[in-house]
Amino acid sequence: MIVFIHDHEALLFWLTIASVIGLIASLVLIPWIVIQIPSDYFSHKKRQKHQWRNYPPIIRLVFILLKNVLGIFFIIGGIAMLALPGQGILTIITGLLFMDFPSKYKVERWIIKRPAILKSVNQLRVKAKQSPLEV
């Protein structure tokens, strides 16, 4: 084990730096993103119309692609944070919110309806003087 650490000092150093940056970013960005969710986002049976529908198709495609890539990064980071320092579950949920896939809205509603998750999210929102999420 000590030989591995000695042979890979630079790699371990950069992984440590990335982990610390990820921790700080998750502590700042995830609560901010959760606060930005409209309070009535989960109150509808079906997802509301997308705000980008009036833009040209190429703009929508680029936006959706970037949003999905960002969501994948959040999910991968959240999975890593389950073992590393950070808010793993909340980061995974945020990644799911960014991504587009069939039945996404049903999955989001199912996740947010879990009492522990809804309580945590609403506590963040109350601290930021935002109204709680309506489910």
Side-chain angles (χ1 to χ4, degrees):
M1 181 71 163
I2 295 183
V3 173
F4 176 81
I5 293 172
H6 189 297
D7 290 345
H8 297 93
E9 283 182 19
L11 174 65
L12 294 173
F13 172 77
W14 288 111
L15 285 175
T16 303
I17 296 296
S19 179
V20 170
I21 290 170
L23 171 65
I24 294 168
S26 72
L27 291 174
V28 173
L29 289 176
I30 301 304
W32 181 80
I33 291 169
V34 168
I35 291 166
Q36 300 305 312
I37 299 171
S39 61
D40 66 343
Y41 181 80
F42 296 107
S43 65
H44 309 285
K45 285 284 186 194
K46 291 187 176 184
R47 186 173 181 195
Q48 299 302 299
K49 293 291 181 187
H50 201 275
Q51 66 184 15
W52 290 83
R53 69 180 180 270
N54 296 330
Y55 286 85
I58 190 72
I59 300 293
R60 284 188 304 218
L61 180 65
V62 168
F63 174 74
I64 290 171
L65 181 65
L66 290 174
K67 196 170 66 119
N68 283 325
V69 168
L70 184 63
I72 290 169
F73 281 132
F74 271 98
I75 290 173
I76 291 169
I79 291 169
M81 284 180 216
L82 293 174
L84 300 170
Q87 303 172 355
I89 303 271
L90 198 53
T91 305
I92 292 170
I93 292 168
T94 303
L96 288 173
L97 287 172
F98 275 109
M99 294 181 65
D100 288 320
F101 55 88
S103 300
K104 171 190 165 189
Y105 189 67
K106 289 180 184 179
V107 172
E108 290 173 343
R109 288 190 68 196
W110 182 85
I111 290 171
I112 203 68
K113 284 182 179 181
R114 305 301 98 194
I117 293 173
L118 184 60
K119 181 180 175 186
S120 297
V121 168
N122 281 337
Q123 283 176 344
L124 277 173
R125 293 177 63 83
V126 167
K127 285 181 183 177
K129 297 180 174 56
Q130 295 289 328
S131 57
L133 291 177
E134 304 165 10
V135 182

